[in-house]
Structures are given as C-alpha cells and as structure tokens.
C-alpha cells in the first residue's frame, strides 16, 4: 500500500504578525507560570512548611506533567469537531485562571498543594497544545524564528509576572506580615491579575489565527496508526534518534532548573537579606527581590531570544544551546560567593541566556526530526524528559538537603548550576537532522522505523 503524506500544516512565508499571533498565547501562560514559580515556595513557608517538605509539596507539577502532557499531545493530534489544538489550550486556560485566583487564598498547606495540582494540570493542558500549535503553523526556515519568538513571549511574560508582587507592593498595597499564615496582599492581587492576563492572551491566539489544513482535516484513519494505548507506547518505542539524544540533555537541564524553581526565592531572602524566618519583614522584601531577580533573567531571556535565530545561523543550534547552558550553570554556581543584592543580577543575566535557549533550541531541533502528523504526540512524549527529572528532585532533594547541604536553600540552587553544566556537555552528541546531515527528517524517520522493525523481527 502506498504511503500517503499528510498536508503541510502551513506555508513557509508567514509574515511577522502572523507568527506573532500564533505565539502570543505564551505571554499569558508564562505570566501566570512566573507567579507560580516565584511565589509558591514562599506561600508554602507562609503556611508553615519547612525546607525539607517543599520538594514533596511541588511534586504535583511533575506528576501531572508526566501524565497530562503526552495524553493531551496525543489527543490534540487527532482533533475534535471544534478543531485540532484550540479546544485543548482554551480549556486549559480557563482552568488555569481559576486556579491562579484560588491559590493565594489557600487556608492551609494542603489546600495550597491541591491548588498547585490543579494549576499544573491545567497549565500543562494549555502549553502542550500551544507548543504543538506553533509546530503545526510554522514550517521550513521560519520554524527556528517561530520558536525563538515563542521564547521572546515566554521571557517577556515571565518578566512582568515576576515583577507583579513588587509593583503592587510599591503602589501602596500594604502587606499583611507578622503571622505565619498571612499571604501578602501584593501576592494575592498579582495572582488575580495574572489570571486575567493568562486567559486574555490565550484567547487572542485562538481568535486571531485562522484554520490550517490539519486543524479540521487531520490525517485520515488510513494514514494514522490505530488509536489506543498501543499506539501511544509504540510512539515511545519508535522515538527518533534526535529525540532520544535530546532527552538526556533535557533530563540534566531540568534537574538543574527545578532546583532553582524550588529554592531560589527563599535562598535570596535568607542568604542575601538575612531573614531568619517567614514572619520577618526582611523575608517579604527578599521574596519581592527574588521576583526582580526572576524578572531580570526572564528579561535577558526575551532580549537574547531576539538574536538566537541569527546566532544559530552563524554557528549552529547545538553550539548555541551548549554555550547558553554553560553560562547558566556558571551563573548559578557564582551565587555561592555573592551577598550583595545588586551583584546577584549578574548571575540572573547568565541564567537568562540559558533560559532563552532551553525554551527554544531543543524544540527547534526536535521539530525538524518529527513527522508532522504526530507533532503533538511526540512533543508530549518529549516533555516526559522535562517532568521525570523534576519528580526525581522532588523525591530526593529533601533528603540530600538534610544529609549533605545542611538544609541550605542556597546550596540547592548552586547544585542546580552543576547539573546545567552536565547538560551542556551532552549537547554535542545530539544529531541535528538539518545541520548535521543532508538526509531529510522524513527519510531519517523511515530508516529508523525499518531498523526497529528489523530488530524486533
């Protein structure tokens, strides 16, 4: 039987504003995600958590990502009567906005953990189809530009989301401090505003982008493999070579980044500002300053993302990714010696370079190695290698901190820097089907399938 090729999802000559509209939803998702990253650990400490408990309380995120992202990617490939991607990321945006409103109103530690569970589930339901949506709509030489513009919006949204508590505090909204369970008013208002931004931006992408051939006409039943659990596990077994190599890089990258997400704000509050506990005004100031740190590294992220495509064209995508990861690792390790609140911004700038590449280069390299009709499924599977390392950190870092790091938030962040450097060392082993070989991704894919079939025969 002759193999048919599904229609290309997009022309290769999209204008700037079309690419803008396709990727604009990431501004809202990252606005909300920055609020979660910058404030969740502090919310847990306000509600009485100790440092060793925090990794386990964050476990909701990676577990939901492990389950939700591959399933959402798989389902969104097949589509619904309302479309292929949009119903999924719209539903996720609505649920995320609800969770953002409820999170800072948690009355106890376990309610906050439950709200994080809902927030992460809905966030994954939004971001996975949005990322595949970018791969659907942008092809050819414009694909790297599309993913770097996606990184631009991620960085810009994260800058403003990270600054929100500091802005509201300096607009005169008085923080309620002095009791363990008093979540500051500036944090609450930031989460409410974040919910509005999140939903509005995702709606913009949904309403400003028209149909594509694959939206309402996905590959036919004859062109697709049978649906079901067997198809899902077959996709895992038949991962392209490039995807397997990138998975190793992703694993070490996200071990490092999750250490940062868990402990950076409390580390700055306690090590730089000298706060002794969460009831101290210095602790609130430190958490707000950590938001500025996060804003700086995300600001560098969206500035650097403007030049990543050109830098990659002059060198290679692998060189860019390895170099940026190395800078980020060195930046985090340097925090061990810094005690001045302004000097930490040099570390933030180095981390921002890494973050810009983490959000774009692996997906740009991967998208060229994947069959278009399974873009969502494979990107969802690829994100397993983002969440599995987070689960490992959540289950093991509390013990490591207690046994080896003297429960130091700062040393946990420094440890994350070493893992980014390890990730950088694995980047040269990745095969980029565009830059490393003249063979097309579809030809490489067919060859790999033949080899797998032969191995199993």
């Amino acid at each position: 039987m002759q193999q048919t090729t599904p229609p290309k999802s997009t022309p290769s000559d999209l204008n700037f504003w079309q690419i803008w509209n396709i990727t604009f939803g990431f501004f809202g998702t990252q606005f909300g995600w920055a609020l979660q990253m910058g404030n969740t650990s502090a919310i847990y400490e306000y509600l009485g958590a100790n440092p060793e408990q925090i990794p386990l309380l964050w476990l909701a995120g990676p577990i939901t990502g492990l389950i939700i992202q591959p399933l959402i990617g798989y389902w969104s490939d097949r589509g619904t009567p309302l479309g292929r991607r949009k119903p999924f990321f719209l539903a996720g945006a609505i649920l995320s906005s609800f969770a953002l409103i409820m999170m800072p109103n948690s009355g106890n530690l376990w309610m906050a953990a439950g709200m994080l569970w809902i927030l992460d589930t809905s966030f994954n339901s939004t971001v996975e189809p949005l990322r595949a949506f970018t791969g659907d709509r942008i092809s050819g030489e414009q694909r790297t530009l599309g993913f770097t513009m996606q990184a631009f919006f991620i960085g810009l949204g994260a800058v403003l989301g990270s600054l929100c508590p500091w802005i509201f505090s300096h607009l005169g909204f008085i923080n309620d401090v002095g009791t363990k369970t008093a979540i500051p008013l500036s944090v609450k208002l930031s989460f409410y505003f974040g919910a509005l931004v999140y939903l509005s931006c995702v709606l913009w992408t949904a309403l400003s982008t028209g149909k594509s051939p694959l939206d309402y006409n996905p590959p036919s039943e004859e062109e697709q493999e049978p649906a079901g659990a067997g198809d899902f596990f077959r996709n895992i077994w038949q991962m392209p070579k490039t995807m397997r190599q990138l998975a190793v890089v992703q694993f070490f990258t996200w071990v490092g980044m999750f250490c940062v997400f868990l402990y950076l704000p409390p580390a700055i509050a306690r090590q730089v500002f000298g706060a002794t506990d969460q009831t101290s005004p210095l602790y609130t100031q430190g958490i707000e300053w950590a938001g500025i740190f996060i804003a700086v590294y995300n600001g560098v992220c969206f500035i650097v993302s403007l030049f990543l495509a050109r830098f990659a064209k002059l060198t290679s995508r692998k060189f860019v990714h390895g170099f940026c990861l190395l800078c980020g690792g060195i930046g985090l390790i340097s925090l061990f010696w810094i005690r001045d609140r302004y000097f930490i911004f040099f570390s933030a700038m180095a981390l921002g370079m890494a973050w810009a590449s983490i959000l774009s280069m692996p997906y740009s390299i991967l998208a060229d190695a994947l069959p278009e009709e399974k873009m969502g499924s494979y990107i969802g599977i690829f994100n397993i290698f983002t969440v599995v390392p987070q689960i490992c950190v959540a289950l093991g870092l509390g013990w490591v901190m207690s046994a080896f790091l003297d429960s130091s938030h700062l040393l946990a962040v420094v440890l994350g820097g070493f893992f980014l450097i390890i990730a950088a060392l694995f980047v040269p082993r990745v095969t980029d089907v565009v830059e490393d070989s003249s063979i097309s991704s579809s030809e490489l894919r067919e060859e790999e399938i033949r080899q797998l079939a032969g191995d199993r025969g």
Side-chain angles (χ1 to χ4, degrees):
M1 180 177 178
Q2 186 177 0
Q3 180 73 26
T4 57
T5 303
K8 291 290 181 184
S9 60
T10 181
S12 59
D13 57 350
L14 296 175
N15 63 43
F16 175 83
W17 293 110
Q18 287 174 311
I19 297 176
W20 174 287
N21 290 336
I22 289 168
T23 56
F24 185 68
F26 282 93
F27 175 82
T29 62
Q30 292 306 124
F31 194 104
W33 194 66
L35 287 169
Q36 174 188 332
M37 291 296 104
N39 296 279
T40 298
S41 290
I43 288 174
Y44 284 155
E45 290 203 340
Y46 284 125
L47 296 173
N50 60 49
E52 292 78 16
Q53 288 178 305
I54 287 177
L56 290 175
L57 291 169
W58 274 82
L59 192 58
I63 287 181
T64 55
L66 180 65
I67 298 170
I68 293 297
Q69 288 191 11
L71 291 178
I72 291 294
Y74 176 80
W75 290 332
S76 71
D77 273 344
R78 296 182 175 274
T80 71
L82 299 176
R84 192 170 184 237
R85 308 287 186 203
K86 293 180 181 180
F88 296 92
F89 63 69
L90 282 173
I94 293 170
L95 289 173
S96 295
S97 299
F98 167 77
L100 283 169
I101 292 171
M102 296 301 297
M103 181 75 179
N105 290 298
S106 301
N108 56 61
L109 189 59
W110 298 111
M111 180 180 177
M115 284 299 105
L116 180 64
W117 199 289
I118 295 173
L119 181 57
D120 271 306
T121 300
S122 51
F123 178 82
N124 286 316
S125 300
T126 307
V127 171
E128 167 53 37
L130 269 178
R131 189 166 278 129
F133 188 70
T134 301
D136 283 350
R137 298 300 184 102
I138 306 172
S139 65
E141 294 183 355
Q142 289 188 315
R143 185 163 273 160
T144 298
L145 174 61
F147 280 104
T148 53
M149 185 173 287
Q150 175 181 297
F152 169 83
F153 281 124
I154 288 172
L156 182 60
V159 167
L160 298 179
S162 301
L163 286 174
C164 242
W166 182 86
I167 291 172
F168 277 115
S169 179
H170 286 77
L171 286 176
F173 295 96
I174 300 174
N175 290 319
D176 298 322
V177 295
T179 63
K180 286 189 175 182
T181 58
I183 296 173
L185 178 61
S186 60
V187 173
K188 291 184 177 181
L189 293 177
S190 297
F191 272 71
Y192 302 157
F193 184 64
L196 176 63
V197 172
Y198 194 118
L199 185 58
S200 299
C201 293
V202 175
L203 279 173
W204 178 277
T205 287
L207 298 176
S208 64
T209 52
K211 299 180 181 179
S212 79
L214 285 178
D215 274 344
Y216 292 89
N217 297 287
S220 67
E221 292 293 333
E222 290 78 14
E223 294 169 335
Q224 295 189 36
E225 297 174 17
D231 187 20
F232 174 74
F233 289 109
R234 187 181 304 112
N235 288 337
I236 296 178
W237 179 253
Q238 295 178 350
M239 284 191 298
K241 178 181 178 182
T242 297
M243 184 170 166
R244 294 195 300 270
Q245 294 166 335
L246 281 170
V248 178
V249 178
Q250 287 291 91
F251 181 88
F252 289 108
T253 296
W254 282 94
V255 169
M257 289 305 301
F258 204 53
C259 290
V260 175
F261 296 157
L262 289 176
Y263 287 115
L264 178 67
I268 291 175
R270 294 176 184 273
Q271 305 299 327
V272 177
F273 280 75
T276 55
D277 59 59
Q278 64 270 21
T279 65
S280 168
L282 288 175
Y283 187 85
T284 300
Q285 294 175 30
I287 295 300
E288 290 176 354
W289 200 261
I292 299 175
F293 179 101
I294 295 170
V296 169
Y297 89 66
N298 281 289
V300 171
C301 168
F302 84 78
I303 292 172
V304 169
S305 68
L306 296 174
F307 304 98
L308 276 184
R310 181 172 297 181
F311 189 23
K313 192 172 183 180
L314 293 173
T315 56
S316 71
R317 293 186 289 196
K318 291 195 300 183
F319 176 83
V320 168
H321 193 46
F323 175 76
C324 290
L325 286 174
L326 186 64
C327 290
I330 293 172
L332 290 177
I333 293 170
S334 70
L335 287 171
F336 182 78
W337 294 279
I338 298 174
R339 290 297 181 271
D340 184 276
R341 68 177 67 182
Y342 296 102
F343 284 175
I344 64 174
F345 294 142
F346 291 105
S347 300
M349 289 186 283
L351 183 60
M353 293 179 62
W355 191 230
S357 186
I358 290 167
L359 296 174
S360 57
M361 286 300 128
Y363 295 98
S364 177
I365 295 170
L366 179 66
D368 285 323
L370 298 179
E372 280 198 60
E373 71 274 14
K374 292 186 177 182
M375 184 77 69
S377 296
Y378 275 119
I379 290 181
I381 292 169
F382 183 64
N383 282 319
I384 290 175
F385 304 103
T386 296
V387 297
V388 166
Q390 296 178 44
I391 293 173
C392 294
V393 172
L395 292 175
L397 186 58
W399 174 79
V400 170
M401 286 187 68
S402 178
F404 300 105
L405 303 182
D406 194 28
S407 297
S408 170
H409 303 76
L410 179 63
L411 290 179
V413 173
V414 170
L415 180 64
F418 282 104
F419 278 106
L420 289 187
I421 292 176
I422 294 171
L425 297 177
F426 278 95
V427 173
R429 298 173 59 87
V430 175
T431 300
D432 188 326
V433 299
V434 172
E435 296 172 350
D436 293 347
S437 174
S438 59
I439 187 171
S440 70
S441 60
S442 60
E443 291 172 337
L444 180 67
R445 186 81 193 101
E446 291 174 3
E447 177 63 24
E448 288 181 341
I449 291 174
R450 284 196 294 270
Q451 291 176 357
L452 283 169
D455 291 342
R456 283 179 286 177

